[in-house]
Amino acid sequence: MPILHVEGLSHSYGERHVLRNLSLAIAAGESVALLGPNGSGKSTLLRLVAGLLTPTAGRVALVGSVAAAGRPEVGIVFQESRLLPWRTVLRNVTLPLELSGESLPSARTTAEAALKRVGAGGLLDRNPAEISGGERGRVALARALVRQPSLLLLDEPFAALDAITRARLDDELPELAAGAATLLVTHDVAEALLVADRVLMLGADGAIHLEVPGLRSLPSADRRAALLSPDGAARQTRLYAALDSVAHA
Amino acid sequence: MRRLSQLTPVAVAALLLAAWEFGVRAAAVPQFILPAPSVIAVRFAEAWADGTMLRHLVPTVTEVTVGGLLGGALGLLIGVTLGLSGSARRVVSPYLVAAQSTPILALGPVLVLWLGPGLAAKVAVCALITLFPVAISTLVAVRDVDAGTLELMRSLGATRWQSLRYARLPAARSGILAGARVAATLAVVGAIVGEWLGGTAGLGVLLNLARGSLFDTPLLFADLLQIAIVGVSAYGLVLFAERVLSKKIA
């Protein structure tokens, strides 16, 4: 049974239609990347799945029940890290647990473990303003993972980072997600292939146009090489061609 | 360099006082027009020694404290409510602006008529004069919290109350405290003017006494000095509260 089941989903902002009759299923632990031109509705889809928007038509079922904002089974990382500047790194990560009513000492222990797992264990008492963009990305990821979600939603989480930091996080992401199914929205073809089991191309009409298998199932050390292999290059070419055609459709 | 820049205001004050002292003596200005700083200092010490200053200071500080806290709390409550609710804002905001454009001090005589010449009327003037800057700065700060932060809170399942407690209020803190800083000095103005409208004790009453029946200009200036000290202390207390709060929140 899929962990996420999207059926006949449509959404419009007033007169502007961004998603049309979109259907999609993600299995437990599976990782799906969504590529598409600006305005194709990628971020809208994530918000609908997270329950932050209500669809104009269609249905989003999450572990069998209708999606609603704030479900602990869902973790979300936005384009910007959105860390609260008045809280330390550790207290930013305890926040989701505090909101669920967990006591602070127990929340601290869980949050520390989550920060260690994403490689930010040395930042606990720092303020968000004192750490680098890559570190903020890691902390935002720890915050999304701290309630051990079964679905992780990623809205271009590394778009604002420099190329090296971004490449490192792309390489690590499949392992950092810790078994959660992921739905990643991105503009970056290579990132999509590295991080996902399946890469979907969303057209400007808000429907899925192409599906290409990703490289996530390979061991992390082999993924970059596979990306540059003839097969990897062919997958990239197909996706670039599709991106080009949907962007100019 | 840092020490020098800290010393500069003190040096400027010393210079101004010296010029005042020298000028008044050189030009033989009568004491009932402008007393020399040394004369004011002596009168200030005397007023403290014979208990005059303390007798008048206590009611003023009480009015500023009670009125300021009451007005600040009400202003915070009104500001948060209007900051959260667009419909309440649309209904109430025009009245809030109209009320702020009315000189609160002009309401003094009405308040004395309703509440009598005692403490209550002065506390009411202080409360009203503090309420508006706090309410308006809180409204703006709570309303204008970053939409991304609020979306994050929703994605984490925060209730409306949790969103206020964990995101809106901490984000709005500096805006609210800016209003409180303005309000602290206004509260002192409110107390003094309230005391002019009637009463038997208070630094405002002492101003009238020193200028009128006592005809004691050095005491008048000593009283002004005391009022300035109260104003600066009120402002300093808000700054102190700001510092404590920022440590607690972090």
Side-chain angles (χ1 to χ4, degrees):
Chain A
M1 187 181 143
I3 196 150
L4 172 71
H5 197 130
V6 171
E7 214 180 290
L9 198 66
S10 299
H11 193 74
S12 48
Y13 296 102
E15 294 290 295
R16 200 166 70 85
H17 299 280
V18 286
L19 286 177
R20 260 183 236 265
N21 199 23
L22 184 133
S23 295
L24 166 75
I26 299 183
E30 189 190 21
S31 175
V32 171
L34 207 60
L35 280 169
N38 280 332
S40 56
K42 303 186 299 290
S43 295
T44 300
L45 175 63
L46 281 198
R47 280 173 173 74
L48 289 166
V49 171
L52 295 170
L53 287 175
T54 311
T56 316
R59 209 171 88 88
V60 178
L62 207 67
V63 209
S65 58
V66 175
R71 287 182 53 166
E73 300 95 328
V74 178
I76 181 163
V77 182
F78 296 95
Q79 282 178 21
E80 327 79 38
S81 61
R82 298 193 187 174
L83 300 180
L84 304 181
W86 55 86
R87 287 187 155 229
T88 60
V89 162
L90 179 65
R91 292 299 301 278
N92 264 285
V93 181
T94 57
L95 182 66
L97 303 168
E98 288 177 60
L99 294 173
S100 319
E102 199 168 319
S103 74
L104 196 55
S106 124
R108 273 179 200 273
T109 315
T110 316
E112 268 187 53
L115 280 161
K116 271 196 194 117
R117 201 166 63 230
V118 300
L123 306 171
L124 304 184
D125 296 322
R126 306 276 287 278
N127 286 319
E130 299 168 354
I131 62 176
S132 70
E135 288 169 335
R136 279 199 284 274
R138 285 177 192 274
V139 177
L141 191 60
R143 182 181 57 197
L145 290 169
V146 76
R147 289 196 287 195
Q148 295 179 310
S150 39
L151 177 65
L152 185 61
L153 303 173
L154 304 160
D155 189 3
E156 296 185 58
F158 312 135
L161 301 181
D162 63 89
I164 295 174
T165 312
R166 183 174 185 161
R168 186 172 302 152
L169 282 167
D170 284 341
D171 288 342
E172 294 177 25
L173 187 60
E175 282 69 39
L176 294 180
T182 54
L183 179 57
L184 167 79
V185 156
T186 179
H187 280 112
D188 187 325
V189 168
E191 179 174 74
L193 284 168
L194 284 170
V195 164
D197 300 304
R198 287 189 287 145
V199 181
L200 307 179
M201 176 68 64
L202 202 60
D205 59 354
I208 291 167
H209 279 234
L210 177 71
E211 182 174 327
V212 170
L215 304 165
R216 178 185 176 243
S217 56
L218 298 175
S220 97
D222 300 340
R223 281 184 216 128
R224 290 250 162 218
L227 191 64
L228 300 171
S229 71
D231 174 49
R235 292 185 208 192
Q236 288 195 62
T237 311
R238 279 180 71 198
L239 286 168
Y240 275 120
L243 194 56
D244 194 49
S245 78
V246 294
H248 296 101
Chain B
M1 269 320 270
R2 192 153 168 206
R3 270 189 77 129
L4 188 71
S5 67
Q6 276 171 346
L7 278 175
T8 315
V10 180
V12 170
L15 235 121
L16 282 174
L17 285 174
W20 177 359
E21 182 83 34
F22 178 78
V24 164
R25 286 183 192 279
V29 179
Q31 204 176 41
F32 65 87
I33 299 286
L34 181 64
S38 59
V39 176
I40 296 170
V42 170
R43 191 67 189 88
F44 184 79
E46 280 172 5
W48 267 102
D50 66 17
T52 310
M53 199 61 95
L54 185 66
R55 197 171 65 245
H56 290 282
L57 177 66
V58 171
T60 304
V61 169
T62 310
E63 291 150 19
V64 171
T65 311
V66 178
L69 288 178
L70 198 69
L74 275 173
L76 192 69
L77 197 69
I78 293 173
V80 168
T81 310
L82 298 187
L84 288 178
S85 159
S87 48
R89 196 159 56 236
R90 274 186 292 281
V91 174
V92 178
S93 281
Y95 299 102
L96 201 65
V97 172
Q100 211 200 1
S101 317
T102 313
I104 302 299
L105 300 177
L107 293 177
V110 181
L111 291 170
V112 172
L113 183 72
W114 289 344
L115 302 169
L119 187 70
K122 287 145 209 165
V123 165
V125 174
C126 281
L128 275 178
I129 209 168
T130 10
L131 190 150
F132 293 105
V134 174
I136 287 176
S137 62
T138 305
L139 185 164
V140 172
V142 168
R143 183 195 59 192
D144 293 347
V145 171
D146 174 48
T149 303
L150 297 176
E151 189 184 45
L152 168 78
M153 296 306 286
R154 256 177 23 92
S155 80
L156 296 176
T159 60
R160 220 170 141 79
W161 164 249
Q162 285 178 322
S163 218
L164 177 70
R165 152 94 178 72
Y166 290 101
R168 282 191 192 262
L169 284 180
R173 189 188 74 221
S174 58
I176 295 171
L177 287 167
R181 264 182 262 162
V182 175
T185 42
L186 281 178
V188 181
V189 177
I192 302 300
V193 175
E195 286 163 2
W196 283 350
L197 298 169
T200 51
L203 294 176
V205 172
L206 186 61
L207 277 183
N208 274 343
L209 288 175
R211 182 183 54 90
S213 53
L214 298 175
F215 199 57
D216 185 346
T217 311
L219 180 61
L220 181 73
F221 276 85
D223 191 15
L224 284 176
L225 175 64
Q226 187 58 60
I227 291 169
I229 293 171
V230 173
V232 171
S233 308
Y235 189 84
L237 270 176
V238 174
L239 288 186
F240 177 72
E242 215 170 312
R243 213 161 293 166
V244 171
L245 269 177
S246 72
K247 273 195 192 136
K248 228 178 160 173
I249 282 173

